[in-house]
């Protein structure tokens, strides 16, 4: 008989998605979520936090009920401690502390970015990849070495998702702009040159976003969407390829919500084919913000003893992934 | 006569081939990106690279001698040595500092200062791969240049603090505005998202 692995409840709610899940060593046992969708404009931290507070009870109730059906006994409560919107983080942390105390199990504070990486490594079964992590707020190329995920290159201003959303809002598209831009870009007829900004291993998207907005005055939306994507993604893939060449690693893992973009996946896949590298991306449900990634990383941390006391569980809105001591690898 | 051809590396930027004792660096097309972007980047980068390699050499930084340039291909001298990433220590890091100081004095930004792009051949350290280099005398550009190297120290080498200190010593020796640039490096580091040590 299989030795019964520990189960961890994880709660994610750094920004738009409140999501909870229970995982053990081998699978995601239960999950429940509620997403915040702004009526107009972009994500508002306070409105998102209010959404999370309103739906927390239901989401936790649902995930625990599903867990119970599967005989899951919770060994620890993990939550995303940062980076993210302060009000959202505090809402989630409050719920996690209360659950940890009432169930009398350890509390674990998980770095949101690291969780994106770990769920990908788990589900794709890839040991030591170069990671391209692209979401609304974050755009980073990372690689593990000697106890930490090191950042090879990152955005010097805004995340790629945020860049897409900003441009999308300006063009009159509803939040989130990314998927709509991807759709519209398919109908493009020509490419127009936009600023291609790679500085060393870092990239920048805010100048590109401004140039794309300006271009709308004299070019069709389809062409600008296409040119925006092609330019921005080429920058990301170029730096990823250089990290691959520099580290000598053979695998690429895509993580984060913008990973759902099929053009970005296609470009990474092509680059990997040409370098005889392997390209990995988990299912879209596990690239966007999700509770399972927090639960799974929480499980890794629990087994390596990285638990928190309530006193030390203050949220960290500016928590960088390269600050995390990786105790489980 | 049979030609001797050896593929040395297929880096991220270009393929390096050794043919009859001569290095051929060619920027092969990248299929992943749009043809328009690809051609623009490759053409611009090849032309600028050849020019900058020659200019760097004039300023006292060992670089390969350029023999010829055509389309997206450069023919140049083969440097027989070992990449610094395999042998880096504080002493070598100080000498890197001296070279980068000379380079910056000449108004050249390397653009990809990693220890993969430095070769120790005999007593000399050669800087190679000027594929992302450009002319710029601004503190900002120089700061980013040094920042990239420090990132490599941190991501690829142990004891990066010692290496950075040694680099700084060398950099100050050959470049009069070194302190301005090093100050800017600190500021650049704080710009990455979520840096805790802000100035």
């Amino acid at each position: 008989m299989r030795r019964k692995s520990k189960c961890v409840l994880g709660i994610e709610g750094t920004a738009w998605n409140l999501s909870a899940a229970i995982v053990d060593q081998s699978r995601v046992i239960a999950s429940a979520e509620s997403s915040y969708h702004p009526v107009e404009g972009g994500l508002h931290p306070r409105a998102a936090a209010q959404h999370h507070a309103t739906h927390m009870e239901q989401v936790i109730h649902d995930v625990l009920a599903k867990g119970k059906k599967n005989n899951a006994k919770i060994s620890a409560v993990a939550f995303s401690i940062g980076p993210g919107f302060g009000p959202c983080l505090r809402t989630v942390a409050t719920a996690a502390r209360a659950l940890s105390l009432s169930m009398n199990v350890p509390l674990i504070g998980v770095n949101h970015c690291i969780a994106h990486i770990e769920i990908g490594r788990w589900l794709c079964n890839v040991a030591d990849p170069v990671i391209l992590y692209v979401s609304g707020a974050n755009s980073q190329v990372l690689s593990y070495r000697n106890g930490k995920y090191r950042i090879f290159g990152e955005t010097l201003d805004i995340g790629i998702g945020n860049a897409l959303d900003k441009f999308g809002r300006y063009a009159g598209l509803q939040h989130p702009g990314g998927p709509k831009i991807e759709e519209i870009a398919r109908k493009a007829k020509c490419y127009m040159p936009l600023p291609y900004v790679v500085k060393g291993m870092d990239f920048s998207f805010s100048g590109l976003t401004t140039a794309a907005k300006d271009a709308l005055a004299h070019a069709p939306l389809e062409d600008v969407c296409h040119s925006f994507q092609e330019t921005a993604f080429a920058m990301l893939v170029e730096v990823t390829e250089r990290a691959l060449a520099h580290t000598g690693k053979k695998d690429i893992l895509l993580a984060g919500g913008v990973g759902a973009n099929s053009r970005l996946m296609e470009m990474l896949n092509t680059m990997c084919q040409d370098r005889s590298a392997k390209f990995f991306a988990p299912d879209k449900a596990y690239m966007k913000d999700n509770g399972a990634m927090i639960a799974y990383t929480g499980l890794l941390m629990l087994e390596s003893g990285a638990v928190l006391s309530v006193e030390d569980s203050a949220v960290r809105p500016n928590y960088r992934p390269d600050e995390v001591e990786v105790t489980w690898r | 006569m049979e030609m001797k051809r050896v593929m040395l590396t297929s880096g991220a930027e270009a393929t390096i081939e050794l043919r009859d004792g001569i290095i051929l660096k060619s920027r092969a097309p990248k299929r992943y990106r749009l043809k328009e972007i690809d051609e623009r980047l490759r053409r611009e980068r090849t032309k600028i690279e050849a020019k900058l390699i020659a200019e760097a050499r004039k300023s006292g930084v060992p670089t390969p001698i350029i023999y010829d340039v055509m389309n997206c291909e450069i023919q140049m001298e083969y440097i027989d040595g070992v990449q610094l990433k395999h042998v880096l220590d504080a002493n070598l890091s100080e000498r890197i500092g001296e070279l980068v100081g000379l380079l910056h004095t000449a108004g050249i930004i390397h653009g990809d200062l990693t220890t993969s792009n430095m070769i120790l051949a005999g007593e000399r350290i050669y800087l190679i791969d000027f594929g992302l280099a450009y002319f710029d005398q601004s503190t900002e550009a120089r700061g980013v240049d040094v920042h990239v190297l420090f990132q490599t120290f941190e991501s690829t080498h142990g004891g990066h603090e010692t290496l950075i200190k040694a680099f700084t010593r060398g950099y100050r020796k050959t470049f009069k505005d070194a302190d301005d640039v090093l100050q800017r490096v600190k500021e650049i580091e704080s710009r990455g998202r979520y840096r805790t040590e802000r100035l």
Side-chain angles (χ1 to χ4, degrees):
Chain A
M1 204 180 77
R2 189 171 62 92
R3 191 171 67 90
K4 208 165 156 46
S5 146
K6 285 178 174 167
C7 296
V8 172
L9 166 66
I11 314 171
E12 156 61 30
T14 53
W16 64 281
N17 198 20
L18 175 64
S19 172
I22 300 170
V23 310
D24 70 8
Q25 202 70 265
S26 57
R27 67 191 175 114
V28 179
I29 297 168
S31 62
E33 67 179 27
S34 169
S35 317
Y36 157 67
H37 299 289
V39 185
E40 52 167 12
L43 300 180
H44 192 298
R46 188 185 59 227
Q50 276 165 357
H51 164 272
H52 294 357
T54 309
H55 296 87
M56 185 68 76
E57 192 183 346
Q58 189 62 48
V59 166
I60 297 298
H61 179 269
D62 287 357
V63 76
L64 288 179
K66 287 180 198 167
K68 205 170 178 186
K69 263 189 215 159
N70 288 284
N71 299 318
K73 188 180 172 301
I74 309 290
S75 302
V77 176
F79 71 104
S80 46
I81 196 166
F85 291 146
C88 297
L89 294 172
R90 286 190 286 276
T91 305
V92 169
T94 304
R97 290 180 199 119
L99 285 162
S100 150
L101 290 172
S102 67
M103 292 194 269
N104 196 23
V105 294
L107 182 65
I108 299 163
V110 175
N111 178 290
H112 174 91
C113 312
I114 298 291
H116 272 292
I117 297 172
E118 292 302 345
I119 189 107
R121 285 181 60 229
W122 185 42
L123 295 175
C124 298
N125 196 19
V126 51
D128 191 18
V130 165
I131 303 118
L132 174 62
Y133 167 42
V134 279
S135 67
N138 302 288
S139 301
Q140 295 169 327
V141 177
L142 307 104
S143 159
Y144 178 83
R145 190 185 64 82
N146 200 12
K148 278 187 177 170
Y149 283 99
R150 316 281 166 170
I151 296 178
F152 252 84
E154 66 185 322
T155 180
L156 292 169
D157 37 57
I158 54 177
I160 175 65
N162 191 222
L164 288 163
D165 290 344
K166 276 196 165 100
F167 168 72
R169 267 207 302 285
Y170 184 84
L173 309 172
Q174 228 202 336
H175 184 88
K180 296 175 191 80
I181 291 167
E182 181 181 1
E183 199 56 47
I184 294 168
R186 292 206 178 96
K187 297 180 210 117
K189 294 207 172 57
C190 66
Y191 171 82
M192 51 196 308
L194 289 173
Y196 185 101
V197 187
V198 172
K199 279 184 165 193
M201 287 294 253
D202 295 326
F203 25 77
S204 144
F205 297 114
S206 70
L208 169 62
T209 307
T210 306
K213 284 181 186 172
D214 292 348
L216 284 174
H218 55 81
L221 178 61
E222 292 81 6
D223 290 353
V224 183
C225 286
H226 168 67
S227 308
F228 190 111
Q229 282 201 144
E230 292 298 325
T231 309
F233 295 168
M235 287 155 57
L236 291 168
V237 178
E238 177 174 9
V239 173
T240 308
E241 182 175 21
R242 280 161 56 193
L244 208 56
H246 189 74
T247 58
K249 293 187 181 179
K250 287 284 166 215
D251 302 311
I252 291 282
L253 175 67
L254 180 59
V258 182
N261 187 297
S262 44
R263 177 60 184 140
L264 177 58
M265 278 208 244
E266 183 186 36
M267 286 168 81
L268 284 166
N269 209 5
T270 306
M271 181 271 279
C272 285
Q273 279 172 13
D274 290 354
R275 294 195 64 82
S276 311
K278 277 196 189 138
F279 173 62
F280 297 90
D283 188 85
K284 283 177 189 178
Y286 295 105
M287 278 201 280
K288 67 172 198 180
D289 292 355
N290 65 88
M293 68 184 197
I294 304 299
Y296 177 68
T297 310
L299 179 62
L300 295 174
M301 291 172 74
L302 175 68
E303 288 178 341
S304 66
V307 300
L308 283 178
S309 66
V310 170
E311 293 73 31
D312 295 331
S313 67
V315 300
R316 304 179 64 176
N318 298 329
Y319 197 11
R320 287 175 62 84
D322 54 0
E323 289 176 66
V324 178
E325 300 283 350
V326 178
T327 48
W328 56 90
R329 282 189 64 164
Chain B
M1 191 180 76
E2 199 186 329
M3 287 221 294
K4 227 173 87 187
R5 295 178 65 154
V6 185
M7 186 64 85
L8 292 184
T9 56
S10 175
E13 270 290 301
T15 57
I16 315 283
E17 204 182 321
L18 182 60
R19 192 188 300 168
D20 279 346
I22 290 173
I23 287 289
L24 278 117
K25 172 164 182 173
S26 43
R27 288 180 160 75
K30 297 284 183 194
R31 286 196 306 134
Y32 68 80
R33 63 194 173 200
L34 221 57
K35 213 172 164 207
E36 290 95 321
I37 299 177
D38 189 55
E39 284 179 353
R40 182 177 102 203
L41 293 174
R42 285 164 54 221
R43 218 179 27 242
E44 284 174 4
R45 288 174 180 179
T46 302
K47 212 165 65 186
I48 296 170
E49 176 170 10
K51 184 169 170 150
L52 286 157
I53 290 174
E55 286 294 323
R57 200 178 168 83
K58 278 189 214 159
S59 74
V61 178
T63 60
I65 296 167
I66 301 288
Y67 300 139
D68 205 353
V69 184
M70 42 195 145
N71 289 327
C72 297
E73 185 177 285
I74 303 176
Q75 295 187 5
M76 61 186 141
E77 182 192 6
Y78 171 56
I79 310 296
D80 194 2
V82 55
Q83 280 180 318
L84 271 196
K85 73 169 171 182
H86 301 301
V87 293
L88 187 65
D89 60 19
N91 176 40
L92 290 169
S93 182
E94 181 169 346
R95 289 177 55 201
I96 295 171
E98 292 169 18
L99 293 180
V100 176
L102 289 174
L103 202 64
H104 285 180
T105 302
I108 299 170
I109 303 300
H110 183 277
D112 192 15
L113 283 175
T114 68
T115 46
S116 307
N117 287 335
M118 299 168 187
I119 296 180
L120 180 65
E123 285 303 302
R124 298 174 95 184
I125 297 175
Y126 283 80
L127 289 195
I128 58 162
D129 195 353
F130 282 65
L132 294 175
Y134 55 101
F135 287 106
D136 195 321
Q137 307 209 18
S138 70
T139 308
E140 171 69 15
R142 288 163 172 165
V144 172
D145 218 18
V146 173
H147 169 62
V148 169
L149 182 64
F150 288 180
Q151 274 177 315
T152 313
F153 286 171
E154 196 173 337
S155 62
T156 332
H157 299 282
H160 63 271
E161 275 143 10
T162 317
L163 295 175
I164 287 174
K165 216 173 267 170
F167 173 91
T168 307
R169 262 198 312 278
Y171 192 52
R172 284 195 176 113
K173 266 192 235 165
T174 56
F175 180 42
K176 69 175 172 49
D177 296 327
D179 286 319
D180 292 346
V181 174
L182 292 166
Q183 185 60 33
R184 182 65 64 99
V185 171
K186 280 189 192 152
E187 193 200 312
I188 291 165
E189 279 165 8
S190 74
R191 268 184 232 159
R193 286 188 70 84
Y194 313 136
R195 285 287 181 195
T196 40
E197 284 170 41
R198 300 225 172 239
L199 283 179

